[in-house]
Amino acid sequence: MRIKRLKLTGFKSFVEPAELRIEPGLTGVVGPNGCGKSNLLEAIRWVMGESSPKSMRSGGMEDVIFAGTTTRPPRDFAEVVLLAEAAGLHGGDNDSELEVVRRIERGAGSAYRVNGRDVRAKDVALVFADAATGAHSPALVSQGKIAAVIAAKPAERRMMLEEAAGIAGLHVRRKDAEQKLRATEANLARLEDLMSQLD
Ligand code: ATP
């Protein structure tokens, strides 16, 4: 998956709508301290379904909404739109685009849309996991990340490799299938129980 564009509105320090074109290849973000470099990377993670406020350097998820300054009032919502090439994804042809939108409103939580359709957070995470990326993708390298990779435990490195290989989504599906299997086994046991009472 190649991210082509990112649109931010009311997300952290990006109070005015901002649109960024991301060119093919490696992209680095440079700028003075406090200009919003980390906020930008967090916006990508957030639209990909990040659910931990801590990894957004926030106390609660609503803290990603522009909080206001001495001269500007706070906003009521934050929205991030990610546009990517969807080649090969879910049978998409080479020209098809994937548009993922996440929006949060004060007091109303987050809502997601994929290509105009309302979806669950879980669906968004699966779309990215199948494309070997996601909110925790090693392709998103934040400050201090290189040192963290070097210091990572073998199990953590394995997770990074699984994500890079695009099999992380299969783990989620396996967990879902195991839950369904356990529920079916419990139903069967109950059925056998009832049948033995009828005999
Ligand atoms: P550094 O190079 O020092 O790590 P940076 O370029 O990565 O900085 P960020 O950490 O992305 O900068 O941005 C910090 C700025 O974002 C701060 O000025 C902070 O006040 C602002 N900010 C963060 N969250 C919000 C919010 N919810 N509302 C308004 N501004 C915010």
Side-chain angles (χ1 to χ4, degrees):
M1 174 186 288
R2 189 174 82 74
I3 302 173
K4 294 200 295 188
R5 262 181 298 154
L6 201 65
K7 296 183 212 170
L8 303 97
T9 311
F11 184 90
K12 292 204 163 192
S13 49
F14 292 89
V15 53
E16 294 300 339
E19 184 167 339
L20 290 102
R21 280 214 336 262
I22 300 169
E23 302 295 344
L26 195 66
T27 302
V29 186
V30 290
N33 285 353
C35 74
K37 303 183 293 289
S38 302
N39 292 347
L40 210 51
L41 205 66
E42 281 163 11
I44 299 179
R45 292 215 168 93
W46 188 71
V47 69
M48 285 176 164
E50 179 58 73
S51 57
S52 155
K54 211 173 126 206
S55 59
M56 297 273 104
R57 298 178 297 166
S58 303
M61 212 33 117
E62 283 189 3
D63 292 350
V64 301
I65 304 171
F66 177 70
T69 60
T70 44
T71 52
R72 307 193 78 149
R75 288 285 158 106
D76 293 331
F77 75 91
E79 188 178 272
V80 176
V81 181
L82 179 148
L83 277 144
E85 262 171 16
L89 261 183
H90 304 295
D93 57 50
N94 282 347
D95 296 329
S96 62
E97 271 199 340
L98 174 79
E99 187 199 63
V100 183
V101 183
R102 182 173 182 181
R103 184 184 168 96
I104 187 166
E105 283 183 42
R106 293 197 193 279
S110 281
Y112 294 86
R113 271 182 292 133
V114 170
N115 290 346
R117 228 165 30 90
D118 291 334
V119 294
R120 300 167 302 174
K122 195 173 160 182
D123 302 318
V124 172
L126 277 177
V127 165
F128 289 111
D130 285 343
T133 184
H136 302 121
S137 168
L140 303 171
V141 186
S142 49
Q143 291 178 49
K145 184 76 179 273
I146 308 283
V149 171
I150 293 165
K153 295 195 179 91
E156 290 163 345
R157 286 216 190 109
R158 183 193 158 129
M159 270 167 63
M160 290 174 198
L161 290 172
E162 286 181 348
E163 263 183 33
I167 55 173
L170 297 179
H171 283 304
V172 178
R173 290 194 177 87
R174 181 176 135 177
K175 213 171 141 206
D176 282 353
E178 279 172 355
Q179 266 169 3
K180 279 188 195 142
L181 200 65
R182 272 197 295 277
T184 307
E185 277 167 1
N187 283 340
L188 279 173
R190 174 97 185 103
L191 186 67
E192 271 172 30
D193 209 23
L194 287 171
M195 281 169 65
S196 67
Q197 284 172 28
L198 288 174
D199 286 342

